[in-house]
Amino acid sequence: MITQRPTLPFAPGWRALLSLAVALCVLLAALAPSDARRRRRRSRRRGPPPAPPAYLATASAALARGQTNRAATVLAAARRCWLRHGTRCGFTRGEFGALSGQVYLARGKHRAAIAALRRATAERPRDQGSWFYLGQALYRAGKPAQAAKALSRAPVVGKTLPAYYLLLARAQRESKDPSAARTTLDKGLLTHPRAHVLWREVAALFQTVGLPSGALHSARHLASIGASAAPTIHLSVANELLRQRQRRAAVRVLEEALLLHPEDAVSASQLARAYAELGQHLSAARLLERLTLARPKLALAVAEQYRLAGQHLAALRWNRRV
């Protein structure tokens, strides 16, 4: 009697084995924990990831202390961190470029500063501090016109910093735009009426355009607010007048300087020279006589001026001191 074998649900062979292996792999994958689950478990065991170092704060503090090399080293480490981890390093590209530009500027690397600050202003066009430092870098690189454009983008800086108006006015003056420079200085003096540097720049601007009376007005105002450097403006105006052979006008300017600053020896010696050139030898001798207390070697010049003035006895007395 012939018995029939029971049929299997699937035919044995390599296809059946392959199907069984695939099914087994799917089952194992479903039962195994995922990578994300493993990472979560690992992070729960280790705690939160450590915070990145405060690169920019450290570099900024070093720059404030004048440690430019230290600031550059910290920024180099910050750049390496950025290349590996991006914004997880705790700063943005614009913030890094702004601080890098300041460090380059402090180290005298003007081209590198300009490049870094241009990137910073492109990333953050409303950051007026970056525009201010870019203007400084351009001005020091001998590009006053571009510096003036950059500085005009940072007017808020001038509310607390008189040097902003000073730098902008100089850039405008060197760009052959004295009227814009005068407008800038007027705005600066409205905000900082006692800023000596702005009044001196006003005087320099007046001299540039050939208006010595305006320069002298600035000098008088400086003297009224107690600026110690006010005689320099008088001396500058007087030297220009002497160069133009306007000796009497120069004498009036120097006399005013000596009235405002009676202890200024430079004004006194310049005035004595101007008196001598005008033939006022007695005035020159008496003025030089005051200066011999601090400079005894001037005794011979005193004797000569007395001789030219016809005061021979006084000339002999001073000759004995030589």
Side-chain angles (χ1 to χ4, degrees):
M1 181 178 180
I2 301 173
T3 58
Q4 187 178 1
R5 280 186 173 180
T7 58
L8 295 173
F10 55 87
W14 65 271
R15 287 191 179 89
L17 292 174
L18 181 61
S19 300
L20 185 62
V22 170
L24 185 61
C25 288
V26 170
L27 180 62
L28 289 173
L31 294 175
S34 65
D35 289 342
R37 226 177 304 163
R38 281 198 296 270
R39 281 196 296 270
R40 282 196 296 271
R41 288 176 186 170
R42 198 178 299 126
S43 65
R44 279 196 294 269
R45 286 196 300 269
R46 293 181 181 175
Y55 290 110
L56 298 197
T58 305
S60 182
L63 182 61
R65 294 192 298 268
Q67 300 172 350
T68 56
N69 291 335
R70 166 67 177 160
T73 302
V74 175
L75 286 177
R79 185 175 182 277
R80 289 193 295 271
C81 178
W82 175 271
L83 292 175
R84 293 180 61 188
H85 306 293
T87 53
R88 283 185 292 166
C89 295
F91 56 86
T92 65
R93 191 192 302 270
E95 291 169 343
F96 177 80
L99 188 55
S100 296
Q102 294 177 45
V103 172
Y104 283 131
L105 186 62
R107 300 178 77 190
K109 298 181 177 182
H110 301 139
R111 287 187 179 179
I114 291 169
L117 290 164
R118 284 197 192 280
R119 290 193 295 270
T121 52
E123 291 278 339
R124 303 188 303 170
R126 294 185 180 181
D127 180 19
Q128 299 201 15
S130 295
W131 286 108
F132 175 65
Y133 285 112
L134 177 59
Q136 283 191 61
L138 288 166
Y139 182 79
R140 294 183 188 180
K143 300 176 180 179
Q146 295 181 39
K149 288 181 181 178
L151 289 166
S152 64
R153 300 284 297 270
V156 174
V157 176
K159 291 183 178 179
T160 56
L161 195 65
Y164 165 78
Y165 294 103
L166 175 67
L167 186 60
L168 178 56
R170 285 183 177 175
Q172 290 167 333
R173 177 161 61 92
E174 293 178 20
S175 302
K176 312 299 181 185
D177 194 355
S179 60
R182 180 62 198 275
T183 302
T184 296
L185 290 169
D186 286 342
K187 289 179 182 178
L189 288 170
L190 283 173
T191 310
H192 308 281
R194 298 182 66 84
H196 299 174
V197 290
L198 296 183
W199 283 106
R200 293 190 195 105
E201 188 63 21
V202 170
L205 180 63
F206 276 126
Q207 282 193 261
T208 300
V209 298
L211 294 173
S213 58
L216 291 175
H217 172 73
S218 300
R220 294 180 194 117
H221 185 81
L222 277 168
S224 70
I225 61 177
S228 60
T232 58
I233 299 173
H234 282 84
L235 291 172
S236 180
V237 172
N239 286 334
E240 180 61 24
L241 291 170
L242 287 171
R243 192 183 66 80
Q244 298 173 5
R245 298 186 180 278
Q246 299 181 35
R247 293 189 179 89
R248 294 191 183 280
V251 164
R252 288 194 295 271
V253 171
L254 290 168
E255 286 174 341
E256 181 179 314
L258 207 55
L259 282 172
L260 292 171
H261 304 274
E263 302 302 321
D264 185 57
V266 178
S267 298
S269 60
Q270 287 281 76
L271 181 56
R273 192 188 76 174
Y275 279 149
E277 291 180 359
L278 280 173
Q280 299 177 21
H281 300 293
L282 186 58
S283 298
R286 289 172 178 169
L287 197 53
L288 288 169
E289 196 170 334
R290 286 171 47 187
L291 296 173
T292 54
L293 293 173
R295 298 167 62 187
K297 291 183 178 180
L298 288 174
L300 183 60
V302 174
E304 179 64 15
Q305 292 303 312
Y306 272 126
R307 186 188 68 78
L308 292 171
Q311 303 283 328
H312 299 294
L313 289 176
L316 285 173
R317 188 175 68 251
W318 279 95
N319 270 325
R320 292 194 192 101
R321 299 189 183 186
V322 178

